[in-house]
Amino acid sequence: SQTIHQWPATLVQPVGSPLSLECTVEGTSNPNLYWYRQAAGRGLQLLFYSVGIGQISSEVPQNLSASRPQDRQFILSSKKLLLSDSGFYLCAWTSGGYEQYFGPGTRLTVT
Amino acid sequence: KNQVEQSPQSLIILEGKNCTLQCNYTVSPFSNLRWYKQDTGRGPVSLTIMTFSENTKSNGRYTATLDADTKQSSLHITASQLSDSASYICVVSVFVAGNMLTFGGGTRLMVKP
């Protein structure tokens, strides 16, 4: 069966520090991968999506970047965090069908 | 602009009661509509997915309806339980490569004993 992992589960980082969030998927190959951010009490906002290794599309210009070094690995990064980067970050995958599966999320607090 | 609007924003009901959540969308070209349940601090979990040709789909005590003409959907929860307390998110998929989703803001449901 397919499984999606995200880590860390929670993170507290100071403003100006770097960020690296990792997402991995098991049990499928060549998935579409997505990074979303959910601000407190708000809906999910698509940040990046990838349809293959090295292929990244950005939906919202911002302080973040994404990379896909391997087929089932998706990384969200920042060189210098801003206070506004705080939120709940969700990774998701889909593999050709309608269903999109979400990971457990990472709670990021920038102080 | 693709948009998904949900109502109400929040709802409190007593355990055992029924409730209906609403979703209106202006998404084109429409592919499918999903309802997700999101517990606090967790990732969303899919409840139902409906394509253009489907107008109702059930998953246990959850029943979703879709009116593609009026671009409206509802999620009906029967005999609510305390564990139903969560945010319910309506999501519409655009019929383009990459399976792009437009998310509603969610309805926060609280079931009280």
Side-chain angles (χ1 to χ4, degrees):
Chain A
S1 63
Q2 300 88 355
T3 309
I4 180 168
H5 302 279
Q6 283 187 247
W7 63 88
T10 60
L11 190 61
V12 180
Q13 293 281 96
V15 168
S17 64
L19 172 73
S20 180
L21 303 182
E22 188 164 345
C23 170
T24 59
V25 181
E26 296 177 358
T28 188
S29 58
N30 196 31
N32 290 345
L33 297 173
Y34 307 82
W35 276 113
Y36 294 91
R37 177 170 59 202
Q38 186 175 37
R42 306 289 296 275
L44 277 73
Q45 179 186 40
L46 179 64
L47 302 175
F48 301 94
Y49 71 94
S50 171
V51 298
I53 296 174
Q55 301 178 60
I56 308 295
S57 296
S58 174
E59 288 296 299
V60 181
Q62 59 214 321
N63 185 42
L64 303 169
S65 62
S67 61
R68 185 170 177 174
Q70 301 180 46
D71 181 45
R72 289 169 289 178
Q73 184 184 31
F74 205 21
I75 298 173
L76 183 69
S77 304
S78 174
K79 292 182 179 178
K80 289 185 179 182
L81 282 169
L82 306 173
L83 286 174
S84 57
D85 291 324
S86 293
F88 190 51
Y89 288 82
L90 286 159
C91 179
W93 72 274
T94 186
S95 187
Y98 291 141
E99 188 62 83
Q100 190 162 122
Y101 301 92
F102 288 84
T106 294
R107 172 79 55 196
L108 172 66
T109 303
V110 183
T111 60
Chain B
K1 180 182 178 183
N2 290 335
Q3 284 188 314
V4 178
E5 301 287 341
Q6 289 187 244
S7 61
Q9 284 190 326
S10 62
L11 183 62
I12 301 175
I13 61 174
L14 293 176
E15 185 179 12
K17 298 296 185 182
N18 304 335
C19 67
T20 301
L21 314 180
Q22 301 292 340
C23 173
N24 297 334
Y25 63 92
T26 56
V27 174
S28 181
F30 175 87
S31 175
N32 57 79
L33 184 145
R34 312 119 181 264
W35 282 94
Y36 283 89
K37 178 185 178 186
Q38 185 179 21
D39 293 314
T40 301
R42 308 290 293 275
V45 175
S46 179
L47 296 175
T48 63
I49 297 177
M50 289 181 292
T51 60
F52 182 87
S53 59
E54 298 174 293
N55 54 27
T56 187
K57 182 163 282 189
S58 293
N59 178 0
R61 294 180 297 102
Y62 302 102
T63 299
T65 65
L66 172 64
D67 186 333
D69 292 330
T70 62
K71 298 187 178 181
Q72 295 180 325
S73 176
S74 66
L75 180 69
H76 186 75
I77 304 175
T78 303
S80 61
Q81 301 176 358
L82 297 179
S83 59
D84 292 331
S85 295
S87 287
Y88 292 84
I89 306 172
C90 176
V91 184
V92 182
S93 176
V94 182
F95 193 72
V96 294
N99 193 10
M100 307 311 293
L101 305 182
T102 302
F103 289 79
T107 293
R108 181 169 294 277
L109 174 66
M110 181 179 294
V111 180
K112 291 191 169 183

